[in-house]
Amino acid sequence: MRKFIIGFFLVFLGVQVMSAQKYFTKTGHISFYSDTPLEKIEGHNKSSNCVLDVATGKLEVATLVKGFQFEKALMQEHFNENYMESDKFPKAVFKGQIDNYSKLDISKNGKVTVKVSGDLTMHGVTKKVTTDAVVSINNGKIIADASFNVLLADFNIKIPALVKDQIAKSLKIKVACTLEPLK
């Protein structure tokens, strides 16, 4: 019986340690920006999920496409129906890795720049993405910020000829997440 109790305690302790290595948020902020001389288009989604395993550097970010909010309701409607086809492709997902995750020291406050690489799946197409991210550790929380550009054509997002001068061919995407230990 004593061995059983000790074994149970060790398994419980192991689960606690393993879960402490994962950080999570449901309120990640993803935004994108398109800028042309004719029109600026900006969308924000503040309900993106992000999970980071600090032991391995594995990272996953997922967002519902319909969660993006726009200044103008018509922009939001066109974004979902005409461009992103969000009923057909409801999520955008990044699965990747912090390449130099050993630079992260979650035991003390500080800031470090890391390289992130992985696969971005959007509009039914998966492409490799590599970018730098600034990661700050603040009282046990991980605050991560990154930005990168994507070409709409790379993800088979077609722009009608009628509005081709109003929408940039490349979008700047920004990701900002505050992650807390997964419990």
Side-chain angles (χ1 to χ4, degrees):
M1 180 68 170
R2 182 175 176 190
K3 286 182 183 179
F4 173 77
I5 292 172
I6 291 171
F8 177 77
F9 177 74
L10 289 174
V11 168
F12 177 75
L13 182 63
V15 168
Q16 293 292 80
V17 169
M18 286 173 56
S19 68
Q21 294 177 353
K22 290 191 179 178
Y23 285 71
F24 176 77
T25 188
K26 290 182 181 179
T27 58
H29 182 191
I30 298 177
S31 62
F32 68 86
Y33 188 68
S34 165
D35 188 10
T36 67
L38 296 176
E39 188 154 34
K40 293 177 185 6
I41 301 170
E42 194 169 356
H44 296 270
N45 185 324
K46 295 181 181 179
S47 58
S48 300
N49 294 325
C50 179
V51 178
L52 169 63
D53 185 335
V54 295
T56 64
K58 290 193 185 299
L59 172 70
E60 186 166 333
V61 181
T63 194
L64 291 175
V65 175
K66 283 188 176 181
F68 282 94
Q69 302 293 310
F70 296 79
E71 183 180 340
K72 299 175 184 173
L74 189 57
M75 281 183 183
Q76 190 164 329
E77 182 181 326
H78 288 170
F79 172 80
N80 284 301
E81 292 178 8
N82 302 340
Y83 306 117
M84 293 302 289
E85 301 175 276
S86 52
D87 285 336
K88 188 175 179 182
F89 307 108
K91 287 198 303 189
V93 177
F94 175 82
K95 291 182 182 183
Q97 174 81 32
I98 297 175
D99 297 331
N100 49 349
Y101 68 92
S102 60
K103 291 174 80 174
L104 294 178
D105 182 355
I106 59 170
S107 67
K108 61 183 180 182
N109 290 347
K111 187 183 287 192
V112 65
T113 299
V114 296
K115 180 78 64 190
V116 177
S117 60
D119 295 323
L120 174 62
T121 301
M122 177 171 70
H123 199 248
V125 177
T126 301
K127 292 286 182 183
K128 295 275 184 212
V129 172
T130 300
T131 191
D132 288 335
V134 175
V135 178
S136 301
I137 310 299
N138 188 358
N139 298 324
K141 293 182 182 178
I142 297 174
I143 300 141
D145 293 289
S147 64
F148 56 95
N149 292 314
V150 296
L151 294 173
L152 297 178
D154 285 350
F155 291 91
N156 294 335
I157 299 170
K158 296 175 180 33
I159 306 302
L162 184 63
V163 293
K164 73 177 173 114
D165 295 331
Q166 293 175 303
I167 299 174
K169 293 174 177 58
S170 174
L171 295 179
K172 182 170 192 106
I173 297 177
K174 292 184 179 183
V175 180
C177 295
T178 300
L179 304 149
E180 296 188 29
L182 182 63
K183 297 176 183 176

